[in-house]
Amino acid sequence: MNENLFASFMIPIMLGIPITTLIIMFPTMLFPTPNRLINNRVIAIQQWLTKLTSKQLMITHSPKGQTWSLMLISLFLFIASTNLLGMLPHSFTPTTQLSMNLGMAIPLWAGTVFMGFRNKTKMSLAHLLPLGTPTFLIPMLVMIETISLFIQPLALAVRLTANITAGHLLLHLIGSATLALMSINLFTALITFIILTLLVILEFAVALIQAYVFTLLVSLYLQDNT
């Protein structure tokens, strides 16, 4: 039971070679480059959603922060498409791997922090010490604020990993219960199937929301440092 439960989170291997890279590159095929004067409806909807999300993320940023708009919208599209593709049966979701999420969170967080220390050195250092702090509390508060600063990328990665993993585990458990109940009590199996359907819809929403939350938090870190 445990092996079946966590089998979907194992890195797929073909001929002894991990194919995670191919899976990560696959979502880029879902966003073709328009080469026509008048695009079809799918590309038009994609462009409209991209502009809407970009406007929501970058509306409060300074001109320096707005230079990150392409990176942030690409990050959102990548995480959202990866999460949605992971909802397909017998598929692998790369965002359930903490190592991958850390690989996204740490460079982006480090880039915003380095930009802040480069452009706003005094303000970035002032964030480590709240105004009006008593003298005897200064060393402790500086240490606490420094630790909280370095925890930010870990919190980003763990939040995304935990939410996607928990949703997939819950769907797997309720789906297994539905199959087991079909031979015992058909009415109870129907109720669990309805619950499973509602959870699938909720999980689709969570896939998009978590992609937006991850990108939004990176955007807020950028806003604090530009």
Side-chain angles (χ1 to χ4, degrees):
M1 180 65 182
N2 291 333
E3 292 181 359
N4 295 332
L5 185 61
F6 294 98
S8 60
F9 303 111
M10 296 176 62
I11 297 177
I13 296 176
M14 182 179 295
L15 300 176
I17 302 175
I19 59 173
T20 310
T21 305
L22 296 177
I23 297 174
I24 292 174
M25 293 174 61
F26 180 73
T28 58
M29 303 178 186
L30 302 178
F31 304 99
T33 303
N35 53 8
R36 297 180 181 179
L37 182 61
I38 300 178
N39 298 320
N40 57 31
R41 295 178 181 178
V42 175
I43 295 180
I45 292 174
Q46 288 179 354
Q47 291 179 341
W48 176 75
L49 290 175
T50 300
K51 291 180 181 178
L52 180 64
T53 307
S54 178
K55 182 179 179 181
Q56 292 295 325
L57 289 174
M58 310 306 297
I59 191 171
T60 59
H61 281 272
S62 64
K64 285 185 178 181
Q66 291 177 359
T67 58
W68 282 53
S69 58
L70 180 60
M71 181 181 295
L72 291 179
I73 197 63
S74 300
L75 177 68
F76 170 76
L77 291 176
F78 171 73
I79 298 177
S81 57
T82 303
N83 290 345
L84 291 176
L85 288 174
M87 294 295 296
L88 296 175
H90 304 288
S91 61
F92 172 72
T93 312
T95 47
T96 58
Q97 304 297 314
L98 183 60
S99 57
M100 174 182 166
N101 295 335
L102 282 173
M104 292 189 296
I106 292 177
L108 292 170
W109 166 83
T112 60
V113 172
F114 290 154
M115 180 178 291
F117 277 101
R118 180 181 178 182
N119 299 326
K120 294 182 175 181
T121 306
K122 292 183 179 179
M123 186 174 295
S124 298
L125 292 175
H127 286 164
L128 300 179
L129 185 63
L131 187 64
T133 304
T135 305
F136 66 93
L137 290 178
I138 288 179
M140 183 181 298
L141 284 179
V142 170
M143 186 180 302
I144 292 174
E145 291 295 330
T146 303
I147 293 174
S148 66
L149 178 65
F150 282 97
I151 285 178
Q152 288 177 352
L154 181 62
L156 269 179
V158 170
R159 180 185 294 106
L160 179 59
T161 304
N163 280 281
I164 301 302
T165 303
H168 285 210
L169 286 175
L170 188 59
L171 290 177
H172 186 281
L173 290 172
I174 296 181
S176 301
T178 303
L179 290 175
L181 288 170
M182 287 181 66
S183 59
I184 302 174
N185 190 323
L186 191 60
F187 179 73
T188 307
L190 179 61
I191 295 177
T192 55
F193 179 76
I194 294 174
I195 295 174
L196 179 63
T197 304
L198 295 176
L199 281 175
V200 169
I201 298 173
L202 178 63
E203 190 63 19
F204 273 105
V206 169
L208 295 174
I209 291 172
Q210 289 304 315
Y212 183 76
V213 168
F214 189 97
T215 311
L216 180 63
L217 289 175
V218 174
S219 175
L220 292 176
Y221 297 156
L222 177 65
Q223 183 179 354
D224 292 338
N225 290 281
T226 54

